Amino acid sequence: MEIPTAENKYNKLIIAVSIIIPIVVALLFSFKLKDFGIDVEPLRFLPPIYASINGLTAIILVSAVWCIKNGNRVVHERLMKTAIACSLAFLVMYVAYHLTTESAKFGDTNYDGVLDATEKSAVGSLRWVYLFILITHIVLSVAIIPMVLFTYVRALAKRFDKHKKLARITFPIWLYVAVTGVVVYLMISPYYAQ
């Protein structure tokens, strides 16, 4: 009988979490709390906060890499735990915002939730740039969940050879997700309903 390692103990949990989170988030987008008679104020103040958290995550990630390259494993570990906590805080705020507030549409200058021909024309090809950044951000934010968790568990298990190998792939993707989170916010923020 094989003795379960620290990695093996977490693998099933990581896979489950990596599947459940995107499904739950996608389902939460299909309704608002008001659909269930829950009267809450739209949490319109959250987007700049969670965009700032994305920016902070990017800074933390770069700092963590700098620390490990300079031999400071303790600070690296603390920074990585902080980056994970920031990503979790982002997720909670993002879901709370979308449960209470109608999504903005890029280019919707009259805030009616419909992008008419005039509004589409006004933003032109910039809309395609926005959509590309948004779609890659969303797809990679789903992919990064198991990557971060597997990378973290490998460090917990003191399998630093495997941790380092996976971290080389995880880091640039996580950094891209964090930075594009800020970019998406900056591009969509003029179209949030007042």
Side-chain angles (χ1 to χ4, degrees):
M1 184 171 149
E2 185 180 322
I3 299 171
T5 65
E7 282 180 272
N8 292 340
K9 288 179 185 177
Y10 291 108
N11 285 350
K12 288 181 182 173
L13 180 61
I14 290 170
I15 291 166
V17 166
S18 300
I19 293 169
I20 291 169
I21 288 175
I23 290 172
V24 168
V25 171
L27 289 173
L28 291 175
F29 270 90
S30 65
F31 65 86
K32 302 286 182 240
L33 290 177
K34 67 181 179 181
D35 298 338
F36 297 97
I38 301 171
D39 189 30
V40 292
E41 282 293 314
L43 301 175
R44 290 190 180 101
F45 64 91
L46 285 178
I49 296 171
Y50 61 67
S52 297
I53 288 174
N54 266 330
L56 179 61
T57 301
I59 293 166
I60 291 169
L61 290 172
V62 171
S63 300
V65 169
W66 184 84
C67 285
I68 200 65
K69 286 187 182 279
N70 286 287
N72 196 338
R73 185 180 286 178
V74 172
V75 175
H76 170 78
E77 182 181 340
R78 288 180 186 152
L79 287 171
M80 293 313 300
K81 287 177 182 176
T82 304
I84 291 169
C86 285
S87 291
L88 185 58
F90 163 82
L91 180 62
V92 169
M93 285 187 244
Y94 181 79
V95 168
Y97 171 78
H98 284 283
L99 280 173
T100 63
T101 313
E102 293 299 325
S103 295
K105 288 193 175 18
F106 187 81
D108 184 16
T109 54
N110 63 4
Y111 314 111
D112 66 354
V114 177
L115 203 60
D116 62 36
T118 305
E119 290 169 323
K120 278 184 183 177
S121 176
V123 293
S125 60
L126 188 57
R127 177 168 171 74
W128 293 109
V129 172
Y130 169 77
L131 290 173
F132 175 80
I133 295 169
L134 177 64
I135 290 166
T136 57
H137 171 81
I138 292 169
V139 168
L140 292 174
S141 69
V142 171
I144 201 65
I145 296 168
M147 295 177 77
V148 167
L149 296 175
F150 281 123
T151 305
Y152 183 69
V153 166
R154 286 177 177 174
L156 283 179
K158 301 193 184 319
R159 301 285 307 270
F160 296 115
D161 56 329
K162 290 187 172 195
H163 168 78
K164 186 176 180 180
K165 187 176 180 180
L166 185 55
R168 285 186 175 145
I169 300 166
T170 302
F171 168 73
I173 295 171
W174 195 359
L175 184 61
Y176 178 85
V177 169
V179 170
T180 56
V182 177
V183 172
V184 165
Y185 166 73
L186 292 173
M187 292 182 80
I188 194 72
S189 62
Y191 306 108
Y192 285 128
Q194 305 301 318

